[in-house]
């Protein structure tokens, strides 16, 4: 008796009736149609996954979804995860604790439909051949656009001109000193992860001179990005514009404190669309209160930011409430990338945006 061939599902528009030949990298046989758990609240699933992506996901396996309107608890995930080959997580999904992992008897892939996985997926998740992917790339695009917009807005002071125009009229808005251009200006970028690289790409397209501080990027890597690799001190001292794109790690905690902010030249612009974790907020506040520098900030130590927070009283600070990544396109791209990764894994055992255990210590 001959042994049946192993065959896999197609990436898109697949069904059990339309399989294709086995790849040596593939994961599932037809008789083992994979079980996929969507472990996120239904409203979030609808926000991120277009109808087309929902249909694709259903074609890839037997999909089950949580019915609870709110976020799952650890106990609920423990009950649901048994027998699941793939779990799709997102904001609000519970941590994969030891109890969860003990119940995850078939779990092979966790596809996180958001960015950081560090809180959600502790190191034991990566044992037993389990694999992880995420969609941080999707959010790097709007965050990079926000960063560049912040830089341009700060250089031209349009927010102040707008306020003067509305409050005091044409003459008051016109009676301001000349502003500065981005082209030819030097911008220091701290951190070259997904978002840092997206920022660099856009700054170079606008003809800015870009300096980079990232100890994990080699000289050759910096040259490939078209930037100059420099020390943190030199970047802070010599760049009139500095943007923080570093992740939240033990190594980056409070990497920018009173000494580092004192290195900024008078009139410097500081941008933070990454995390508050690397910043000593009190030290930044003191520099801003002196009026010596200006800033544009999307993230804060305490969120929501209290009404009486002193940052809210400063005219030399542009603030937004942690919304740099919030766009229609990014949301739908998160869903698309997630389904793409599941399809890629099932068809060839490959992942484009894989997260490994070794990456946890240096990523956001």
């Amino acid at each position: 008796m001959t042994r049946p061939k192993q065959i896999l599902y197609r990436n898109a528009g697949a069904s059990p009736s339309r399989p294709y030949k086995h790849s040596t990298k593939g994961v599932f046989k037809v008789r083992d149609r994979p079980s996929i758990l969507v472990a996120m609240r239904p409203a979030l699933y609808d926000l991120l996954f277009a109808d087309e992506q929902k249909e694709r996901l259903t074609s890839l396996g037997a999909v089950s979804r949580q019915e609870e309107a709110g976020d799952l608890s650890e106990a609920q995930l423990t009950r649901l995860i048994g027998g699941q080959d793939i779990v799709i997580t997102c904001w609000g999904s519970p941590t994969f604790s030891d109890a969860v992992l003990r119940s995850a008897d078939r779990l092979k892939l966790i596809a996180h439909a958001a960015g950081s996985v560090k809180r959600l997926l502790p190191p034991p998740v990566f044992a037993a051949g389990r694999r992880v992917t995420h969609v941080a790339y999707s959010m790097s695009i709007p965050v990079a656009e926000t960063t560049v917009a912040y830089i341009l807005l700060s250089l031209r002071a349009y927010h102040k001109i707008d306020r003067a125009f509305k409050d005091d009229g044409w003459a008051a808005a016109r009676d301001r000193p000349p502003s500065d251009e981005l082209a030819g200006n030097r911008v220091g970028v701290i951190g070259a992860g997904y978002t840092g690289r997206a920022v660099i790409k856009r700054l170079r397209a606008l003809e800015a001179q870009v300096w980079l501080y990232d100890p994990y990027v080699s000289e050759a890597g910096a040259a490939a990005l078209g930037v100059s690799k420099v020390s943190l001190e030199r970047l802070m001292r010599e760049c009139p514009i500095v943007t923080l794109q570093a992740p939240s790690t033990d190594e980056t905690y409070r990497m920018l404190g009173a000494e580092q902010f004192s290195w900024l030249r008078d009139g410097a612009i500081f941008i933070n669309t990454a995390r508050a974790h690397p910043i000593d907020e009190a030290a930044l506040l003191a520099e801003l209160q002196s009026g010596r520098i200006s800033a544009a900030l999307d993230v804060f130590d305490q969120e929501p930011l209290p009404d009486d927070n002193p940052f809210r009283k400063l005219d030399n600070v542009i603030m937004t409430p942690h919304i740099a990544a919030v766009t229609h396109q990014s949301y739908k791209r998160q869903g698309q990338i997630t389904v793409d990764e599941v399809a890629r894994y099932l068809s060839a055992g490959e992942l484009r945006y894989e997260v490994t255990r070794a990456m946890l210590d240096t990523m956001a």
Side-chain angles (χ1 to χ4, degrees):
M1 181 175 178
T2 60
R3 196 174 171 184
K5 291 182 179 179
Q6 291 181 322
I7 47 182
L8 306 169
Y9 293 112
R10 299 179 187 271
N11 280 4
S15 70
S17 64
R18 293 195 296 162
Y20 68 95
K21 291 184 179 180
H22 174 64
S23 160
T24 57
K25 294 182 179 179
V27 180
F28 291 96
K29 300 177 184 179
V30 167
R31 68 169 63 91
D32 297 325
R33 183 163 165 78
S35 297
I36 303 171
L37 171 65
V38 179
M40 67 180 76
R41 56 187 183 272
L44 188 54
Y45 181 64
D46 292 337
L47 178 67
L48 303 185
F49 291 78
D51 289 342
E52 176 188 356
Q53 304 308 329
K54 293 177 183 177
E55 291 173 6
R56 286 183 64 207
L57 192 62
T58 301
S59 78
L60 293 169
V63 177
S64 57
R65 294 168 48 192
Q66 73 172 69
E67 298 179 356
E68 293 81 358
D71 295 332
L72 285 178
S73 67
E74 178 186 323
Q76 289 170 320
L77 180 59
T78 301
R79 288 196 298 270
L80 292 172
I81 203 168
Q84 300 293 336
D85 300 293
I86 297 169
V87 175
I88 296 175
T89 58
C90 198
W91 301 303
S93 296
T95 298
F96 279 58
S97 64
D98 290 343
V100 171
L101 293 178
R102 282 194 297 270
S103 296
D105 53 333
R106 286 176 49 175
L107 182 62
K108 300 174 182 68
L109 174 68
I110 301 169
H112 188 52
S116 177
V117 301
K118 294 175 76 168
R119 174 200 62 80
L120 184 70
L121 306 178
V125 168
F126 296 84
R130 301 184 195 98
R131 297 175 69 184
V132 174
T133 184
H134 67 163
V135 299
Y137 167 76
S138 175
M139 290 170 281
S140 72
I141 296 171
V143 174
E145 289 186 356
T146 298
T147 301
V148 174
Y150 269 165
I151 292 171
L152 292 169
L153 187 63
S154 299
L155 282 170
R156 303 302 297 272
Y158 282 134
H159 57 300
K160 295 182 179 180
I161 294 170
D162 173 79
R163 188 73 270 151
F165 200 174
K166 291 174 179 175
D167 289 348
D168 303 311
W170 180 282
R174 291 276 299 182
D175 188 23
R176 295 185 56 84
S179 57
D180 292 303
E181 299 174 359
L182 177 56
N185 224 324
R186 185 184 302 128
V187 182
V189 178
I190 301 174
Y194 282 125
T195 304
R197 290 167 188 259
V199 170
I200 288 167
K201 178 181 178 180
R202 285 155 179 78
L203 290 173
R204 293 191 65 232
L206 293 171
E207 301 181 1
Q209 179 186 157
V210 183
W211 285 11
L212 172 67
Y213 171 72
D214 189 322
Y216 295 97
V217 176
S218 65
E219 293 287 352
L225 291 171
V227 303
S228 300
K229 182 179 179 179
V230 297
S231 68
L232 179 61
E233 181 171 355
R234 188 178 179 199
L235 183 148
M236 297 289 282
R237 287 189 183 278
E238 299 185 32
C239 291
I241 307 156
V242 174
T243 177
L244 176 67
Q245 309 299 158
S248 297
T249 67
D250 291 343
E251 189 176 7
T252 64
Y253 181 72
R254 301 298 186 254
M255 66 182 292
L256 300 182
E259 180 181 9
Q260 289 75 29
F261 285 120
S262 74
W263 294 339
L264 290 172
R265 60 176 62 182
D266 290 353
I269 297 167
F270 179 76
I271 310 291
N272 187 10
T273 56
R275 291 286 188 269
H277 173 98
I279 289 178
D280 180 338
E281 249 186 26
L284 175 60
L285 177 64
E287 289 289 355
L288 289 167
Q289 288 175 327
S290 76
R292 199 177 67 79
I293 65 170
S294 62
L297 309 172
D298 185 56
V299 291
F300 304 89
D301 273 342
Q302 186 176 355
E303 296 182 357
L305 195 68
D307 291 345
D308 61 352
N309 186 281
F311 278 106
R312 297 168 65 104
K313 299 178 174 63
L314 298 175
D315 293 333
N316 55 339
V317 182
I318 301 169
M319 299 193 306
T320 48
H322 205 150
I323 57 172
V326 180
T327 65
H328 295 294
Q329 293 85 352
S330 181
Y331 280 157
K332 295 308 181 191
R333 193 165 49 242
Q334 288 171 233
Q336 180 178 340
I337 291 175
T338 300
V339 178
D340 286 346
E341 288 286 80
V342 170
R344 192 175 289 117
Y345 174 76
L346 292 176
S347 68
E350 296 176 353
L351 294 169
R352 184 175 181 182
Y353 300 105
E354 184 163 12
V355 178
T356 66
R357 169 65 186 87
M359 296 167 61
L360 287 185
D361 293 338
T362 58
M363 68 186 302

